[in-house]
């Protein structure tokens, strides 16, 4: 090491960097051959990792080797082609390199004076996403950590546009929990949340919404915002966006669309049909680290009129005076809650430039096609009940157990999910539909194959047989 605090020599930096690249490439090249994950045992993990704070230096290559080994051992690989449990999916190697570059150059992407190039690059990528989603030229947005923060920023912008801090927010039982969390964070009380009904497809029901709005207005309350979902976490359902846009326009309400994963399907013709009306929203949340294959964290909030973000978040401070000078300063601290923020836009910019939009489109369409293939396999025999059909690459189902009570079927369903984690070949977990557990396939990995799906369903059938036998149901 050089005789400077916290600095390696140029040769040591190269050696460490080359080794890090080799480790990542090895991880990606051999990922399919390894288990998706295993059940975590906290005591074992703490025993291996909690060894005290070091006072002196260590060889950086040895530290890297220990870090990679321990991290890889104690994670479930959400970037595995047979990780089918949740929507967050794989990243691209290009995106990972972009993250390294952004960190290595230590880019500050919060204000114009020290990050004008990154600011313009972020604006360009935001414009790409705005155009894809159908928002007008007046629109804008910014990158945030993920869908939770994107939803929070959007709802705060909606409230800032209203003269009434006591406005009501309308959701359904299928709305993502991040909305409720964000509302609490923003100071909305439980009495400001209205949960409206859903139709048989688990979409927001327009009649229920209209009745609730009318009832609230008769009671002297002020409706503020309707939160629609483009691709629910449970079933992939898309609320009727076009009709909701009409209703919100008629009633002067803000329409926010949580499209954290589902908005990515605008790239597909079939997805575009499902998402008709997306471009009429006042705000949209989407997560490129889900179905657009970027490393965590990169969420995005888009708005129909960028001035709504400025009105909600713009700040003036004496130490920021010079950041407002120059030619067309673009300060992202005026558009969101963060002043210090990393350069999240670079990974999506590099990935889109490297692969092109058509490759992303093929990958999204592949996920939807594989979900439909899985549905066909499940419907071929009498072993499975498809609870919600394949939509936006999500499918839910449960085992059929003749003459068994619903509680027994529910127990078998949960046992199957637990068994996949213990087995390690693929990971399939549960969610709940109508207060009963169902297995859910989320097929968003671009490297998942037909063979992966067929072998995973074969695994589920074996685990179902074992669970049924263990419970004495046959």
């Amino acid at each position: 090491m050089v005789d400077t605090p916290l600095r390696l020599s140029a040769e040591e930096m190269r050696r460490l960097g080359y080794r890090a690249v080799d480790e990542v490439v090895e991880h990606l090249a051999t990922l399919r051959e390894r288990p998706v994950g295993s059940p975590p045992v906290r005591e074992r993990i703490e025993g291996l990792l909690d060894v005290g704070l070091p006072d002196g230096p260590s060889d950086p290559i040895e530290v890297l080797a220990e870090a990679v080994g321990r991290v890889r051992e104690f994670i479930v690989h959400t970037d595995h082609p047979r990780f089918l449990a949740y929507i967050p999916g794989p990243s691209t190697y290009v995106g990972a390199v972009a993250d390294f570059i952004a960190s290595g150059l230590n880019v500050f992407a919060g204000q114009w004076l020290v990050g004008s190039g990154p600011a313009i690059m972020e604006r360009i990528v935001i414009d790409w996403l705005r155009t894809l989603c159908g928002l007008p030229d007046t629109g804008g947005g910014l990158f945030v950590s993920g869908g939770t923060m994107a939803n929070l920023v959007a709802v705060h912008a909606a409230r800032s546009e209203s003269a009434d801090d006591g406005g009501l927010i309308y959701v359904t039982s299928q709305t993502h929990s991040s909305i409720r969390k964000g509302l609490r964070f923003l100071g909305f009380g439980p009495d400001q949340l209205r949960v409206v009904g859903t139709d048989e497809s688990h979409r927001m029901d327009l009649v229920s919404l209209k009745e609730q709005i009318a009832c609230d207005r008769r009671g002297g309350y002020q409706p503020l915002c309707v939160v629609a979902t483009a691709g629910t976490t449970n079933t992939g359902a898309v609320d009727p966006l076009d009709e909701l846009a009409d209703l919100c326009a008629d009633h002067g309400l803000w329409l926010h669309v949580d499209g954290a994963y589902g908005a990515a399907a605008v790239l597909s013709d079939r997805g575009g049909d499902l998402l008709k009306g997306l471009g009429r929203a006042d705000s949209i949340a989407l997560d490129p680290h889900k179905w657009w294959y970027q490393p965590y964290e990169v969420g995005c909030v888009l708005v129909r009129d960028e001035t709504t973000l400025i009105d909600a978040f713009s700040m003036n401070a004496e130490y920021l005076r010079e950041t407002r000078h120059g030619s067309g300063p673009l300060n992202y601290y005026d558009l969101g809650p963060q002043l210090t923020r990393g350069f999240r836009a670079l990974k999506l910019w590099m990935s889109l430039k490297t692969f092109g939009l058509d490759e992303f489109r093929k990958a999204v369409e592949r996920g939807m096609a594989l979900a439909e293939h899985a549905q066909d396999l499940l419907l071929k025999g009498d072993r499975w009940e498809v609870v919600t059909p394949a939509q936006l690459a999500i499918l839910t189902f449960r085992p059929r157990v003749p003459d068994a009570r619903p509680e027994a079927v529910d127990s078998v369903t949960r046992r199957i999910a637990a068994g996949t984690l213990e087995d390690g070949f693929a990971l399939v977990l549960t969610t709940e539909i109508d207060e009963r557990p169902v297995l859910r396939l989320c097929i968003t990995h671009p490297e998942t194959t037909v063979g992966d799906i067929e072998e995973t369903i074969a695994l589920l059938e074996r685990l179902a047989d074992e669970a049924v036998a263990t419970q004495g149901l046959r």
Side-chain angles (χ1 to χ4, degrees):
M1 295 186 184
V2 297
D3 190 21
T4 303
L6 304 178
R7 184 72 72 183
L8 301 177
S9 69
E11 181 54 37
E12 286 173 316
M13 286 190 283
R14 289 190 183 93
R15 190 163 63 101
L16 184 63
Y18 294 156
R19 178 64 179 271
V21 168
D22 287 343
E23 292 285 1
V24 173
V25 172
E26 174 71 9
H27 165 76
L28 294 174
T30 64
L31 185 55
R32 175 177 286 280
E33 303 161 14
R34 287 185 268 112
V36 176
S38 60
V41 180
R42 179 167 180 169
E43 294 78 10
R44 177 169 178 259
I45 297 171
E46 287 181 338
L48 288 170
L49 297 182
D50 190 5
V51 295
L53 181 65
D55 291 319
S58 300
D59 181 88
I61 297 296
E62 293 179 2
V63 174
L64 173 65
E66 180 183 6
V68 171
R70 295 307 188 204
V71 170
R72 191 158 55 193
E73 182 180 2
F74 298 124
I75 61 172
V76 169
H77 298 291
T78 62
D79 55 349
H80 197 292
R82 293 188 299 277
F83 178 85
L84 306 169
Y86 301 135
I87 296 162
S91 66
T92 65
Y93 178 74
V94 172
V97 170
D99 263 352
F100 172 74
I101 296 299
S103 296
L105 298 182
N106 203 25
V107 177
F108 186 103
Q111 48 109 322
W112 176 254
L113 181 67
V114 299
S116 55
I120 294 299
M121 189 174 287
E122 181 163 346
R123 169 54 55 86
I124 289 169
V125 182
I126 288 293
D127 276 347
W128 289 348
L129 300 183
R130 174 189 60 75
T131 302
L132 287 171
C133 290
L135 292 173
D137 292 344
T138 56
L142 78 162
F143 287 104
V144 292
S145 57
T148 297
M149 185 57 69
N151 287 328
L152 186 151
V153 168
V155 173
H156 179 61
R159 181 170 63 179
S160 298
E161 286 294 289
S162 170
D164 185 0
D165 283 346
L168 304 179
I169 309 295
Y170 297 85
V171 302
T172 75
S173 62
Q174 300 302 300
T175 302
H176 196 272
S177 61
S178 66
I179 293 293
R180 289 178 173 83
K181 180 185 289 189
L183 291 175
R184 289 202 306 269
F185 183 86
L186 292 170
F188 284 84
D191 58 333
Q192 292 176 259
L193 185 68
R194 296 290 188 266
V195 181
V196 302
T198 56
D199 63 18
E200 66 280 359
S201 299
H202 303 281
R203 308 186 314 157
M204 183 176 282
D205 183 73
L206 288 167
V207 173
S208 176
L209 177 61
K210 289 177 183 178
E211 290 175 349
Q212 185 65 63
I213 291 172
C215 177
D216 288 331
R217 284 204 160 130
R218 286 194 301 270
Y221 297 101
Q222 179 59 50
L224 171 62
C225 175
V226 173
V227 178
T229 306
T232 61
T233 301
N234 280 341
T235 69
V238 179
D239 289 333
L241 303 179
D242 224 13
E243 293 88 343
L244 287 171
D246 288 339
L247 186 151
C248 288
D250 291 343
H251 290 273
L253 305 182
W254 182 286
L255 175 61
H256 173 62
V257 176
D258 180 3
Y261 101 94
V266 295
L267 300 183
S268 160
D269 289 340
R270 286 186 297 168
D273 291 340
L274 286 172
L275 296 169
K276 182 183 177 184
L278 179 65
R280 299 178 64 191
D282 294 290
S283 56
I284 301 169
L286 55 95
D287 279 355
H289 64 220
K290 289 189 170 71
W291 215 359
W292 279 343
Y293 321 111
Q294 298 306 297
Y296 309 118
E297 306 168 343
V298 56
C300 179
V301 58
L302 301 173
V303 291
R304 186 170 200 79
D305 182 351
E306 189 174 71
T307 62
T308 59
L309 291 182
I310 296 172
D311 292 342
F313 292 102
S314 181
M315 61 176 284
N316 286 297
E318 65 276 6
Y319 51 84
L320 296 175
R321 187 177 304 277
E322 282 74 23
T323 67
R324 298 192 177 279
H325 295 168
S327 174
L330 177 57
N331 293 307
Y332 274 97
Y333 63 68
D334 279 335
L335 303 181
Q338 285 183 276
L339 175 56
T340 301
R341 59 195 297 271
F343 189 21
R344 294 187 175 100
L346 183 61
K347 49 192 164 190
L348 187 55
W349 184 88
M350 283 185 62
S351 295
L352 288 168
K353 293 280 283 188
T354 298
F355 297 109
L357 195 59
D358 284 344
E359 289 299 299
F360 280 81
R361 180 175 292 110
K362 290 176 186 175
V364 168
E365 290 173 345
R366 178 184 181 87
M368 289 191 286
L370 283 175
E372 291 164 1
H373 177 65
Q375 176 175 292
D376 290 342
L377 292 174
L378 293 169
L379 290 173
K380 274 186 176 178
D382 60 357
R383 301 202 57 169
W384 302 100
E385 173 196 355
V386 172
V387 179
T388 59
Q391 48 192 340
L392 294 187
I394 288 183
L395 170 68
T396 70
F397 56 102
R398 65 167 61 96
R400 293 185 187 275
V401 185
D403 302 321
R405 293 175 302 170
E407 312 90 78
V409 176
D410 293 348
S411 179
V412 169
T413 301
R414 294 198 184 280
R415 181 60 207 144
I416 293 169
T420 66
L421 183 57
E422 295 165 5
D423 180 88
F425 175 78
L427 188 62
V428 179
L429 298 181
T430 66
T431 188
E432 291 191 4
I433 304 295
D434 298 327
E435 300 183 345
R436 291 189 61 197
V438 292
L439 296 164
R440 179 182 57 173
L441 290 177
C442 303
I443 310 175
T444 56
H445 198 302
E447 296 176 27
T448 303
T449 65
V450 169
D452 288 328
I453 298 302
E454 293 174 349
E455 290 181 66
T456 296
I457 291 176
L459 168 66
L460 298 177
E461 291 178 349
R462 175 173 64 79
L463 293 172
D465 289 341
E466 293 174 1
V468 167
T470 299
Q471 296 186 34
L473 296 174
R474 279 188 187 159

